[in-house]
Amino acid sequence: MSSFKPLVFSGVQPTGNLHLGNYLGAIKKFVALQDTNDCIYCVVDLHSLTAQLVHDDLEDQTRQITAAFLAAGINPKKHIVFNQSRVMQHAELAWIFNCVARIGWMSRMTQFKDKAGKDRENASLGLLAYPSLMAADILLYRATHVPVGEDQKQHLELTRDIAQKFNNDFSDRIAAKGLGVEMKVGEEIVRGYFPITEPVIGGPAARIMSLRDGSKKMSKSDPSDLSRINLTDDADTMAKKIKKAKTDPDALPSEVKGLEGRPEAENLVGIYAGLADISKEQVLKDFGGTQFSVFKPALAELAVAKLAPIAGEMRRILADRAYVDGVLSDGGAKAGALAEATMKDVRSIVGLQQG
Ligand code: TRP
């Protein structure tokens, strides 16, 4: 039985400063996965045009995310690191997926509804089509596993829907050309050209919330800088933000159950667990019964110990712009070769003349 080779793909948008949520929710997982998998990590610059068309510093933001990947420990010699726009096949496959996906699927996406707001008619068509480009990013490499934050789960379900509809609608042509691959979906064995990708979500820090409001995601677009810890914050700033983080007056519980209904406490415990690579249970074993006046300084110390070296390394890497650009260019060449092999098949399946 031929089956898909395990391959990890993920992407990060080059907009704004990277914060703790990006690091714990995504980049740290990318680093962990590279020991046991082939990985492709992409700075998705085309995606950043969906909400805002004109950027002053998109190229530098792209370099920053690249430097963060490298500083966190991603090895660009063993794996592929590149920016999306270098590989035009992303846009080509996205177009085909625009014709596979239904408008109804797209307009149900909560991220679209949130970002488009009340004036939906005035949102860019790209914002609506965003998940179709994301599906193209992943399926262009026929990736099997995608590490992402909790908020991207719905987009991954849509990626699976697109793969499934493509496999179904073109099943005869895929079979006739001998391009079908067997795969297990649930309990069933099916054949198709694209894999039904699995999300890799979870861990104690899958969802990092704002330090000011435990019901809102930590976000680069929050107007209050106190709401987030940026990777590039200095030690004093990190300590100040953690000290000012919203909490309730009670001591920490000794069991995870005791965090229910205490979103701010749960968030800080999750951050500690994520940074220390331990479970929330373990954090509470160590800190259950202590007041935030004790826990917060411990958390600040841990955050500085874990993040300051990465920020320092990022600065060092960014100073060598030619090196960063070289990584993206090498990665783009490697990704481009894989992408073109897929697109040759896809053009042939769809019936686009290329002989
Ligand atoms: N939509 C993702 C986010 O905003 C970024 C992204 C684009 C992505 N393409 C991807 C993530 C492919 C994983 C796989 O975080």
Side-chain angles (χ1 to χ4, degrees), residues 9-11 13 44 47 130 134 137-138 146 148 152:
F9 182 98
S10 195
Q13 279 199 51
V44 290
H47 272 92
Y130 178 117
M134 178 163 162
D137 298 339
I138 297 164
V146 178
V148 276
Q152 294 298 313

Side-chain angles (χ1 to χ4, degrees), residues 7-249:
L7 176 68
V8 171
F9 182 98
S10 195
V12 174
Q13 279 199 51
T15 38
N17 273 337
L18 277 175
H19 55 69
L20 189 65
N22 305 122
Y23 176 65
L24 290 179
I27 298 176
K28 190 158 183 277
K29 284 193 203 153
F30 299 178
V31 178
L33 284 164
Q34 68 174 351
D35 293 336
T36 43
N37 297 275
D38 287 333
C39 303
I40 304 180
Y41 296 127
C42 183
V43 185
V44 290
D45 47 6
L46 293 173
H47 272 92
S48 57
L49 307 180
T50 58
Q52 182 191 334
L53 182 57
V54 182
H55 297 253
D56 292 334
D57 53 359
L58 190 51
E59 289 180 57
D60 277 336
Q61 298 284 3
T62 296
R63 292 188 182 103
Q64 268 213 28
I65 305 289
T66 309
F69 284 175
L70 302 174
I74 290 169
N75 180 343
K77 293 220 165 68
K78 289 214 177 107
H79 303 277
I80 297 180
V81 174
F82 75 111
N83 59 309
Q84 187 184 28
S85 60
R86 282 179 188 263
V87 179
M88 64 198 174
Q89 286 85 348
H90 286 252
E92 185 183 2
L93 186 57
W95 175 256
I96 291 174
F97 287 171
N98 282 345
C99 301
V100 173
R102 309 288 96 184
I103 293 178
W105 301 0
M106 297 300 184
S107 49
R108 274 196 292 278
M109 293 291 112
T110 44
Q111 185 174 301
F112 171 69
K113 290 195 264 187
D114 288 350
K115 289 205 173 161
K118 286 207 167 52
D119 192 6
R120 250 198 235 189
E121 292 289 308
N122 201 32
S124 75
L125 187 51
L127 190 66
L128 181 66
Y130 178 117
S132 162
L133 180 58
M134 178 163 162
D137 298 339
I138 297 164
L139 296 175
L140 193 50
Y141 305 96
R142 302 209 275 172
T144 55
H145 293 86
V146 178
V148 276
E150 187 74 38
D151 62 311
Q152 294 298 313
K153 205 168 161 185
Q154 202 185 24
H155 289 157
L156 281 182
E157 279 159 16
L158 195 124
T159 300
R160 295 160 65 96
D161 290 343
I162 289 177
Q164 210 142 30
K165 184 164 162 57
F166 183 96
N167 288 344
N168 285 336
D169 290 2
F170 288 105
S171 62
D172 292 349
R173 299 180 60 95
I174 292 168
K177 292 172 188 293
L179 290 171
V181 173
E182 266 182 10
M183 65 190 117
K184 206 166 169 205
V185 178
E187 286 310 301
E188 241 183 304
I189 305 277
V190 298
R191 266 184 172 274
Y193 183 73
F194 287 119
I196 306 302
T197 302
E198 297 285 342
V200 183
I201 298 179
R207 202 167 150 78
I208 301 295
M209 312 307 283
S210 155
L211 298 180
R212 307 299 297 166
D213 178 349
S215 70
K216 278 204 316 211
K217 217 181 79 167
M218 185 176 285
S219 157
K220 39 198 162 197
S221 55
D222 192 312
S224 167
D225 198 52
L226 284 175
S227 71
R228 63 185 158 260
I229 292 177
N230 303 305
L231 237 47
T232 47
D233 283 343
D234 60 34
D236 288 348
T237 310
M238 279 187 200
K240 185 183 89 182
K241 287 176 175 177
I242 291 171
K243 190 164 161 221
K244 291 200 165 184
K246 188 178 162 204
T247 45
D248 53 46

